[in-house]
């Protein structure tokens, strides 16, 4: 794990970086706490200065331990002293708010540093690949560790008995759908849901599959994933026992990884909500989230399967926040039935690409709607959230396979949508020229409302209005004369023309384009 990520995550716990004479990209691999009862020198990358009498003493301990960063308890009044000591010794210093307990902080730091490496599939404990290698050596076949969605978490470097199906799974980072269908038909997933015993899966040459042993990775009754080993025949004896025991070890690592992931999601969500709800220190929050300086956009997403909304939305949130460090382009939070993501970039195309990638990562039966707010600076993100919400509502009025609208490209549709909403709520005049013309058309079969709209949209050009209506311009002229009499309105008055076109748009029954 890099120092930059530690700084950003711990910032949510009241920990402040007061000096950093080392690179923010420095890798952190170990944690050390000074033990007063042990005189042996202790070394580590992150030093927790529990019991230090001053910042100077804490930095001295950390320097002796060859640490890159030290955490010392203190208030704002101690930051200058800590910064001077850290700069002198070449150690980054982070000051811990006195209200934060060492036990809580130690749990967070140990979880982040010891489980900080990014795996092929995103989040994963540091040694999950090493565990796959150990299992492969014990059973004599290539091993793949997958989560409950058949996504690859880790795999062994050993290639013994490897086959095309395994290669395709690793390259695609998940079991291909055709193989999932095969395993489902053979009852493999039903067995994993009901039993802790390893199961042998017969070869299938058509699918490029040699034999497999598979066992569930389980915590209590919950299936966390599965372990797969390539083999020509069922494992027996010591190899079978090692395979089953290895699955239980994998479960412990996956649980620790999940706890670390949940911790980061919580910290990230809290910071994102600060931006969306408005904060006087928005630029600092953006920095703590690890987002680059510059323009941002808010994306609002809803997802559901048939009548079930919550499960699909939670899955979308999990996919949006998968990936350790700050390798993901955006930062996300879940609010009610909506997923919000803050994404850097000035153009709308990267935001649409992000939505497309999210949709592709979800099961095919999940329906996704999204809206993209306009370009915003950090302090303007609350307005960006409202724009994203309105674009989301606009997308929900269309078919989900269309591109999600962006506010700066669809502001006219948004405005008309607002007018239609106001009209449906009875907040537009029930009487007036537009209402009179519609009533006259209904009663007499005339086409005055359509004629008025075509003329207004043509900006008074009779020929163009006639083309829109499929009639001669003289017909348009005659109708306009009658419209003035029926509606009692002066069409030469610019303000009244503006009011009428707004009234027409507000009560238009067609959906926006």
């Amino acid at each position: 794990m890099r120092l930059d990520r530690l700084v950003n995550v711990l910032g949510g716990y009241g920990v402040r970086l007061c000096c950093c004479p080392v690179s923010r990209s420095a890798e952190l691999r170990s944690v050390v706490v000074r033990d007063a009862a042990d005189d042996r020198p202790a070394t580590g990358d992150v030093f927790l200065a529990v019991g230090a009498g001053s910042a100077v003493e804490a930095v001295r301990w950390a320097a002796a331990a060859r640490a890159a960063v030290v955490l010392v308890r203190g208030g704002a009044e101690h930051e200058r002293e800590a910064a001077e000591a850290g700069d002198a010794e070449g150690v980054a210093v982070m000051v811990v708010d006195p209200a934060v307990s060492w036990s809580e902080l130690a749990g967070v730091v140990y979880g982040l540093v010891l489980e900080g490496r990014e795996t092929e599939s995103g989040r994963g404990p540091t040694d999950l690949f090493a565990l796959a290698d150990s299992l492969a050596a014990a059973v004599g076949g290539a091993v793949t560790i997958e989560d409950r969605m058949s996504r690859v978490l880790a795999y062994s470097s050993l290639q013994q008995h490897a086959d095309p199906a395994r290669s395709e799974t690793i390259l695609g980072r998940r079991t291909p759908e055709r193989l999932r269908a095969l395993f489902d038909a053979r009852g493999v997933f039903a067995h994993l849901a009901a039993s802790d015993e390893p199961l042998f899966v017969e070869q299938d040459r058509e699918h490029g599959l040699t034999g497999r042993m598979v066992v569930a990775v389980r915590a209590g009754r919950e299936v966390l994933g599965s372990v797969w080993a390539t083999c020509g025949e069922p494992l027996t004896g010591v190899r079978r026992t090692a395979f089953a025991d290895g699955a239980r070890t994998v479960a412990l690592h996956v649980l620790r990884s999940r706890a670390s992931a949940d911790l980061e999601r919580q910290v990230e969500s809290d910071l994102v909500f600060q931006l969306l709800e408005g904060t006087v220190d928005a630029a600092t929050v953006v920095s703590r989230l690890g987002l680059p300086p510059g323009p941002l956009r808010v994306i609002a997403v809803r997802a559901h399967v048939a009548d079930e909304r919550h499960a699909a939305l939670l899955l979308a949130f999990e996919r949006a926040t998968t990936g350790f460090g700050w390798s993901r382009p955006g930062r996300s939070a879940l609010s009610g039935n909506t997923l919000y993501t803050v994404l850097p970039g000035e153009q709308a195309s990267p935001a649409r690409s992000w939505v497309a990638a999210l949709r592709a990562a979800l099961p095919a039966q999940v329906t996704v709607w999204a809206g993209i707010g306009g370009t915003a600076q950090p302090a303007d993100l609350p307005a960006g959230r409202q724009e994203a919400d309105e674009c989301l509502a606009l997308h929900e009025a269309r078919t989900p396979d269309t591109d999600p609208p962006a506010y700066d490209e669809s502001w006219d549709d948004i405005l008309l949508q607002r007018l239609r909403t106001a009209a449906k709520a009875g907040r537009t005049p029930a009487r007036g020229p537009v209402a009179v013309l519609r009533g006259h058309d209904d009663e007499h079969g005339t086409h005055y409302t359509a004629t008025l709209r075509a003329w207004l949209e043509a900006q008074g050009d009779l020929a163009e209005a006639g083309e829109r209506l499929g009639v001669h311009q003289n017909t348009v002229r005659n109708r306009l004369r009658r419209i003035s009499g029926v509606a009692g309105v002066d069409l030469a008055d610019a303000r009244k023309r503006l009011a009428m076109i707004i009234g027409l748009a507000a009560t238009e029954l067609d959906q926006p384009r």
Side-chain angles (χ1 to χ4, degrees):
M1 189 193 73
R2 299 187 186 279
L3 174 59
D4 185 65
R5 178 163 160 258
L6 181 71
V7 171
N8 284 315
V9 173
L10 293 187
Y13 286 80
V15 181
R16 302 173 302 283
L17 179 69
C18 64
C19 80
C20 191
V22 300
S23 171
R24 291 278 290 250
S25 63
E27 293 188 356
L28 309 176
R29 302 179 183 275
S30 56
V31 183
V32 62
V33 180
R34 182 176 181 272
D35 187 350
D38 191 345
D39 294 331
R40 293 175 297 177
T43 60
D45 297 322
V46 182
F47 194 97
L48 304 182
V50 181
S54 66
V56 173
E57 184 177 28
V59 172
R60 189 171 65 248
W61 290 352
R66 298 195 292 277
V69 58
V70 59
L71 276 70
V72 57
R73 187 190 298 276
E77 66 276 9
H78 298 109
E79 291 188 11
R80 175 177 293 183
E81 176 189 15
E84 291 175 352
D87 286 333
E89 294 286 356
V91 178
V93 181
M94 299 182 70
V95 177
V96 182
D97 191 296
V100 180
S101 69
W102 276 117
S103 59
E104 177 185 3
L105 193 67
V108 174
V109 173
Y110 273 99
L112 289 173
V113 174
L114 299 186
E115 299 176 6
R117 195 184 79 178
E118 183 173 359
T119 68
E120 291 292 328
S121 63
R123 303 178 186 273
T126 304
D127 50 0
L128 201 54
F129 278 86
L131 180 56
D133 284 334
S134 298
L135 273 175
V139 303
V143 167
T144 305
I145 301 173
E146 302 179 4
D147 68 7
R148 58 188 174 186
M149 301 295 293
S150 298
R151 296 182 297 237
V152 176
L153 296 176
Y155 51 88
S156 65
S157 56
L158 180 68
Q159 298 297 318
Q160 187 173 351
H161 301 303
D163 53 33
R166 181 177 191 268
S167 299
E168 187 177 353
T169 298
I170 291 174
L171 288 174
R173 298 186 178 183
R174 67 181 303 157
T175 301
E177 286 300 324
R178 58 183 180 81
L179 285 178
R180 280 183 56 84
L182 175 67
F183 295 148
D184 192 30
R186 291 189 178 185
V188 173
F189 296 126
H191 173 86
L192 294 176
S195 175
D196 292 332
E197 290 299 314
L199 173 71
F200 181 68
V201 182
E202 297 282 351
Q203 69 175 356
D204 188 304
R205 297 184 185 279
E206 181 182 349
H207 289 82
L209 180 74
T210 59
R212 290 281 194 283
M213 286 295 290
V214 59
V215 64
V217 175
R218 193 187 309 277
R221 296 182 179 180
E222 181 184 1
V223 176
L224 304 176
S226 56
V227 181
W228 301 74
T230 57
C231 51
E233 57 187 20
L235 298 176
T236 58
V238 175
R239 293 194 302 165
R240 181 186 177 91
T241 301
F243 188 60
D245 290 343
R248 286 188 280 273
T249 305
V250 169
L252 295 177
H253 288 300
V254 172
L255 284 173
R256 289 169 58 194
S257 175
R258 177 190 286 184
S260 179
D262 289 344
L263 168 65
E264 286 207 5
R265 285 188 176 108
Q266 183 60 55
V267 172
E268 179 177 320
S269 294
D270 290 344
L271 293 174
V272 168
F273 275 127
Q274 288 184 40
L275 291 176
L276 298 182
E277 294 174 358
T279 173
V280 295
D281 205 10
T284 300
V285 175
V286 167
S287 176
R288 286 172 60 185
L289 279 167
L291 291 170
L296 303 164
R297 286 181 183 265
V298 180
I299 305 172
V301 175
R302 288 189 185 136
H304 74 87
V305 178
D307 295 330
E308 175 53 61
R309 291 180 177 268
H310 300 294
L313 188 65
L314 290 173
L315 183 58
F317 178 59
E318 180 184 354
R319 295 307 301 159
T321 53
T322 294
F324 248 157
W326 301 109
S327 59
R328 291 175 285 108
R331 305 290 178 266
S332 302
L334 196 60
S335 176
N337 63 347
T338 306
L339 165 67
Y340 292 101
T341 294
V342 177
L343 194 75
E346 188 167 357
Q347 304 302 318
S349 53
R352 288 198 175 98
S353 297
W354 183 91
V355 174
L358 176 66
R359 182 184 284 124
L362 297 173
Q365 63 269 30
V366 175
T367 301
V368 174
W369 284 282
I372 303 167
T375 304
Q377 293 302 316
D380 300 324
L381 286 175
R385 176 187 184 177
Q386 180 180 350
E387 293 168 354
D389 284 336
E390 291 185 300
C391 287
L392 172 60
L394 198 64
H395 198 208
E396 288 179 320
R398 304 173 178 176
T399 56
D401 57 349
T402 57
D403 285 338
Y407 186 81
D408 39 354
E409 300 171 1
S410 303
W411 62 269
D412 53 336
D413 285 340
I414 295 293
L415 177 59
L416 295 179
Q417 182 78 357
R418 291 176 183 170
L419 291 172
R420 292 186 182 96
T421 301
K424 290 177 182 178
R427 295 167 62 184
T428 55
R431 295 185 293 179
V434 172
V436 170
L437 291 177
R438 281 207 171 101
H440 191 279
D441 287 343
D442 292 340
E443 184 176 352
H444 301 284
T446 52
H447 304 282
Y448 292 163
T449 307
T451 300
L452 177 63
R453 178 164 191 162
W455 179 71
L456 289 171
E457 289 180 347
Q459 300 184 51
D461 188 319
L462 294 172
E464 182 180 339
E467 289 180 8
R468 289 171 178 255
L469 296 167
V471 299
H472 193 272
Q473 60 178 315
N474 288 336
T475 302
V476 176
R477 183 181 291 107
N478 292 332
R479 287 182 183 177
L480 290 174
R481 190 163 46 249
R482 296 190 189 102
I483 286 171
S484 295
V486 170
V489 62
D490 181 6
L491 297 181
D493 189 322
R495 288 176 59 86
K496 287 184 170 56
R497 291 199 303 271
L498 175 62
M500 285 189 293
I501 199 166
I502 290 174
L504 286 166
T507 54
E508 177 59 51
L509 299 179
D510 295 337
Q511 295 293 342
R513 69 175 185 275

